[in-house]
Amino acid sequence: MTASVPGTGQPSAPANEAAIEARGLPKEFGSILALDRLDLSVPRGSVFGLLGPNGAGKTTTIRVLTGLARASAGSAFVAGVKVGLNEPELHRRSGYLDQDPRFYSWMKGRELLELIGRLYSMSGSALRSRVAEVLERTGMTGAAERRIGGYSGGMQQRLGIAQAILHRPQVVFLDEPVSSLDPEGRRDLLELIAGLRGEATVVLSTHVLSDVERICDRVAILDRGRLVTEGPLDELLAAHARPIYRLVPAPGQDAQVDVLVGRLRAAPWVTQVLITRDLVRVTVADPAVAAGGILPLVVAAGVVLESFERARPTLEDVFLEIVG
């Protein structure tokens, strides 16, 4: 049964549903179909990675879900509120950091946050306390009295996250929040985003796939405006795991390695053996059989290994396999 958001008359999703639920969302820009009847479900409390090649519809999806753009049809709920333009309750329950945040350069960091807090009907000591709290959390206390125009890119992104979480939203949308940062700044900001787990649902749009592997527990991949796949990151990686084993022999065993390679190629469950200077790469037809069959062949050939492992796919491997 669908209830309504108090004081708005707008329908809301049942309390036990996902943090975000979208069904059949199309969005066109002239002749360009940015979203093609998109379906998306984001569980409550997750750090959710939204991935896709350029033009896949990631930013359009976020703009529709935050009420900054209108889908041509379909329906969506965010934090129990039906998505639409000019919906105050939607803005109260969600936070948003644009991929290219632009703040008043003449304002100080603390001034900006206090202004935003007042827009959310915060005031007095409660506002000052909350501003101080998010400044501390984002590492911006020392820069709070400086003008934003003098902030580095990383400082502006931190301020952007501070304003996105200031009003304690249930869902936080972050569009490419770390793309322009150096490795140290990206690491710090990712730790900050990961720290939001448990107090809000986070939707992170990015093209840096290693960042998603580091902090996201679920992933959705878009292509041409459609959802291609979605699920827990570990399950997604496992589903696309390749039946490949990597063997690194200790140096000085050329003759023994040649024997091993010959025996591996003769095994009925081996489909390919590739050799480089210090690596034997074995592709198998049956990983379960190979797991118990490779090491006896290694021992029989008299080869000493420095390492032996099954190749673990990266998110980049999965991404390229799915969207090419």
Side-chain angles (χ1 to χ4, degrees):
M1 180 176 179
T2 301
S4 63
V5 177
T8 68
Q10 293 292 327
S12 68
N16 60 350
E17 290 196 358
I20 300 172
E21 196 75 52
R23 289 290 176 264
L25 297 182
K27 180 63 179 176
E28 299 176 358
F29 295 98
S31 61
I32 299 175
L33 184 62
L35 296 182
D36 187 3
R37 300 184 300 278
L38 176 68
D39 294 333
L40 187 66
S41 182
V42 178
R44 293 182 186 275
S46 60
V47 179
F48 191 90
L50 189 61
L51 309 178
N54 290 336
K58 303 185 298 296
T59 294
T60 300
T61 298
I62 288 179
R63 290 184 63 81
V64 168
L65 294 176
T66 53
L68 297 175
R70 186 193 302 273
S72 309
S75 64
F77 291 87
V78 171
V81 180
K82 185 173 177 61
V83 170
L85 301 183
N86 302 316
E87 177 49 64
E89 189 63 24
L90 175 63
H91 300 307
R92 281 191 285 269
R93 297 193 186 189
S94 62
Y96 174 54
L97 172 60
D98 188 82
Q99 62 179 326
D100 184 23
R102 298 178 183 272
F103 304 121
Y104 297 118
S105 61
W106 50 268
M107 294 188 76
K108 298 175 182 178
R110 189 184 304 276
E111 289 177 332
L112 177 73
L113 295 180
E114 289 178 348
L115 170 62
I116 291 172
R118 288 193 290 272
L119 294 176
Y120 284 109
S121 301
M122 302 168 68
S123 63
S125 60
L127 171 59
R128 292 190 295 273
S129 176
R130 180 57 179 167
V131 167
E133 181 182 339
V134 296
L135 284 170
E136 177 68 24
R137 182 168 189 177
T138 56
M140 290 295 291
T141 301
E145 306 306 327
R146 291 169 51 187
R147 298 194 185 280
I148 297 172
Y151 283 4
S152 66
M155 293 168 69
Q156 292 205 29
Q157 293 290 58
R158 288 175 177 272
L159 183 65
I161 292 181
Q163 62 82 29
I165 65 174
L166 180 68
H167 57 297
R168 294 186 174 88
Q170 297 177 36
V171 180
V172 180
F173 295 93
L174 305 175
D175 193 2
E176 300 284 1
V178 298
S179 59
S180 62
L181 303 182
D182 59 31
E184 183 178 3
R186 185 163 65 248
R187 178 203 64 200
D188 292 344
L189 212 58
L190 287 172
E191 290 177 356
L192 173 60
I193 295 169
L196 298 174
R197 192 191 316 273
E199 66 181 76
T201 302
V202 180
V203 177
L204 171 67
S205 168
T206 181
H207 64 271
V208 184
L209 301 183
S210 60
D211 291 346
V212 173
E213 283 193 86
R214 181 170 176 176
I215 67 171
C216 293
D217 47 68
R218 298 185 71 92
V219 171
I221 298 179
L222 305 184
D223 191 24
R224 298 183 180 91
R226 287 191 175 187
L227 179 67
V228 179
T229 188
E230 186 277 327
L233 178 59
D234 289 344
E235 291 183 11
L236 192 61
L237 293 175
H240 292 268
R242 300 175 181 179
I244 297 173
Y245 288 84
R246 295 190 179 103
L247 289 70
V248 179
Q253 304 179 89
D254 292 350
Q256 296 95 318
V257 170
D258 288 342
V259 172
L260 172 62
V261 169
R263 294 182 178 182
L264 286 169
R265 285 175 172 162
W269 35 267
V270 173
T271 60
Q272 185 183 55
V273 180
L274 298 176
I275 311 168
T276 62
R277 184 171 57 86
D278 57 357
L279 173 70
V280 178
R281 180 181 169 100
V282 185
T283 304
V284 302
D286 189 335
V289 173
I294 291 179
L295 289 180
L297 294 180
V298 171
V299 173
V303 174
V304 177
L305 296 180
E306 290 187 344
S307 71
F308 168 65
E309 64 177 358
R310 183 174 177 182
R312 180 182 183 273
T314 66
L315 187 55
E316 181 177 0
D317 294 329
V318 175
F319 182 86
L320 292 175
E321 181 179 333
I322 291 175
V323 303

